[in-house]
Amino acid sequence: MRRAVCPGSFDPVTNGHLDVFARAAKIADEVVIVVAINKNKSGTFNIEERMEMLREVVAPYPNIRVDSFMGLLVDYCKANDVQAIVKGLRAVTDFDYELQMAQMNYRLTEIETLFVSTNPIYSYLSSSLIKEVATYGGDIDGLLPGSVQERLLARIAENKK
Ligand code: PNS
């Protein structure tokens, strides 16, 4: 069984992430979306909320599941028999950092990182940019899965109270 992970913060999951997950699910037998727990960063959604939204949106894919991890990604991969890390590359701006992480991860445990070229319709998307636009009332239709958009708008409204 070839198992791959798609790691990230997913605060929250976007349609761009979802595109990468679906493509990873065609390559690997099983894909685990792993949410990185960062104790120094609280985020818009807590880890449980992020995982709940992820579980909802990957429900149609039988070979995708959701988990979380703390510490080094390579340690999670080793402990869970993961053969590859799959990442989306949006543009050259992603490249330097992603290559650096891929090379470091390879040095640590010889795990492979596979890059999926993000669908151009999503190449400008990031969770933080979507949150900024939504906070100031901009149109974010079509950028997030519907249920995630509802939750984000509700959270922004709560935070403004
Ligand atoms: O969605 P993000 O925040 O860009 O994801 C970055 C993430 C979580 C994939 C990366 O920071 C990571 O792998 N963190 C876990 C800690 C780790 O393994 N660091 C060494 C990376 S070479």
Side-chain angles (χ1 to χ4, degrees):
M1 140 102 55
R2 290 268 144 194
R3 182 176 289 136
V5 288
C6 292
S9 307
F10 307 118
D11 186 31
V13 58
T14 69
N15 282 340
H17 294 134
L18 199 50
D19 177 60
V20 174
F21 302 161
R23 291 161 68 182
K26 288 187 198 162
I27 303 168
D29 296 318
E30 184 182 45
V31 175
V32 190
I33 314 302
V34 286
V35 185
I37 301 173
N38 182 344
K39 289 219 156 152
N40 301 319
K41 245 175 146 184
S42 59
T44 305
F45 295 98
N46 67 36
I47 298 296
E48 268 317 308
E49 291 171 322
R50 294 180 209 180
M51 290 176 73
E52 203 176 290
M53 288 184 273
L54 281 162
R55 284 194 196 102
E56 267 173 40
V57 300
V58 301
Y61 301 89
N63 64 334
I64 305 184
R65 62 186 174 85
V66 178
D67 200 0
S68 62
F69 74 104
M70 201 162 39
L72 286 180
L73 177 61
V74 290
D75 288 339
Y76 176 92
C77 292
K78 224 172 182 174
N80 293 278
D81 196 25
V82 172
Q83 286 79 38
I85 299 166
V86 179
K87 292 281 204 84
L89 266 190
R90 288 170 296 194
V92 282
T93 42
D94 281 343
F95 186 74
D96 281 351
Y97 187 48
E98 290 298 341
L99 183 67
Q100 206 180 359
M101 283 198 284
Q103 289 170 328
M104 179 60 87
N105 284 331
Y106 186 81
R107 180 187 182 273
L108 290 168
T109 61
E110 296 193 1
I111 190 159
E112 296 293 353
T113 300
L114 309 179
F115 292 109
V116 169
S117 58
T118 300
N119 186 324
I121 62 170
Y122 301 128
S123 63
Y124 60 95
L125 291 192
S126 72
S127 303
S128 51
L129 201 54
I130 294 172
K131 287 188 286 191
E132 185 174 320
V133 171
T135 300
Y136 296 110
D139 178 12
I140 57 161
D141 277 358
L143 308 184
L144 299 170
S147 58
V148 176
Q149 180 170 340
E150 276 173 29
R151 287 177 75 150
L152 177 62
L153 294 176
R155 178 58 47 89
I156 289 169
E158 269 168 39
N159 289 347
K160 280 184 180 165
K161 278 182 195 162

